[in-house]
Amino acid sequence: MPTDGYLVSFKQNLPVYADSKSMLNSINFNAYNSFSENFIGALKFQGTAINAIGDSDDVRLSKRLFLPRTKLRGFEAGKVGPKDGLDFIGGNYATAINLEAALPNLLPESTETDISLFMDIANLWHVDYDSSLDSNELRSSTGIAVNWFSTIGPLTFSYAIPLSEAKTDITENFRFQIGTSF
């Protein structure tokens, strides 16, 4: 788990050969600061855009953006943002800010368990084929996460309370996942 420093990354996907051409740009910025041995703060930002290029008018549905479950806890994965009928269709633009306070020494070292408090703020918007489907609303949640390094691998449990949501979003207070949550 990082305790100090920055991590910045930029990603760009360009179509080489495709029947529906689109270009994706994404930037990630993570900053970590150890305020004390008992408190490590993290600020994470992600901004992503996908746009059709050339003679294509719309981004293919399978290429649209969705918010990852690590960027917006308290909501079901893939069940946030623009909706066409009963289907969540993703958007062309996504952004997320995560604030986290890790408390690594709250429990004894022998438990191999880390606890953190978090606040997630995210948005997913713009549908290029129909602007009436747009869902440009901030979603936010706060909660607690527990990372346990068990014998079968890292396990993450999180409990989140949505603070703001769109009326079409589907919330999920408790989440369990196998794998890391850094």
Side-chain angles (χ1 to χ4, degrees):
M1 178 181 291
T3 59
D4 197 23
Y6 302 93
L7 177 62
V8 179
S9 64
F10 176 74
K11 174 182 170 184
Q12 187 172 56
N13 289 352
L14 299 170
V16 175
Y17 178 76
D19 59 345
S20 178
K21 298 176 184 170
S22 58
M23 180 172 69
L24 178 119
N25 293 296
S26 181
I27 187 159
N28 288 288
F29 172 81
N30 297 346
Y32 303 93
N33 189 30
S34 180
F35 294 98
S36 74
E37 66 179 36
N38 297 319
F39 179 73
I40 300 166
L43 168 68
K44 301 173 184 178
F45 170 79
Q46 177 183 350
T48 308
I50 189 163
N51 295 297
I53 58 174
D55 55 358
S56 300
D57 290 336
D58 305 324
V59 174
R60 180 180 279 180
L61 182 63
S62 62
K63 300 285 185 181
R64 291 190 184 282
L65 304 175
F66 290 90
L67 292 168
R69 64 178 72 231
T70 57
K71 297 294 181 183
L72 185 61
R73 293 164 278 196
F75 294 83
E76 269 193 47
K79 304 295 184 187
V80 172
K83 200 172 177 184
D84 191 354
L86 298 175
D87 299 321
F88 288 91
I89 56 172
N92 290 70
Y93 305 103
T95 187
I97 296 173
N98 307 99
L99 303 167
E100 193 162 337
L103 310 167
N105 297 323
L106 191 62
L107 296 175
E109 187 74 31
S110 62
T111 63
E112 296 189 32
T113 305
D114 292 330
I115 296 177
S116 61
L117 305 173
F118 63 84
M119 180 171 192
D120 298 338
I121 304 166
N123 194 4
L124 179 65
W125 74 99
H126 189 69
V127 178
D128 49 15
Y129 71 87
D130 188 349
S131 62
S132 69
L133 300 175
D134 205 1
S135 176
N136 191 5
E137 295 184 43
L138 282 178
R139 283 87 171 164
S140 62
S141 64
T142 188
I144 186 168
V146 176
N147 296 311
W148 176 37
F149 302 97
S150 71
T151 55
I152 62 169
L155 304 175
T156 300
F157 305 89
S158 66
Y159 181 79
I161 300 168
L163 300 174
S164 62
E165 61 189 271
K167 62 183 175 197
T168 59
D169 295 340
I170 299 176
T171 61
E172 171 186 71
N173 295 101
F174 181 76
R175 178 177 296 150
F176 164 76
Q177 86 183 44
I178 297 175
T180 185
S181 67
F182 302 94

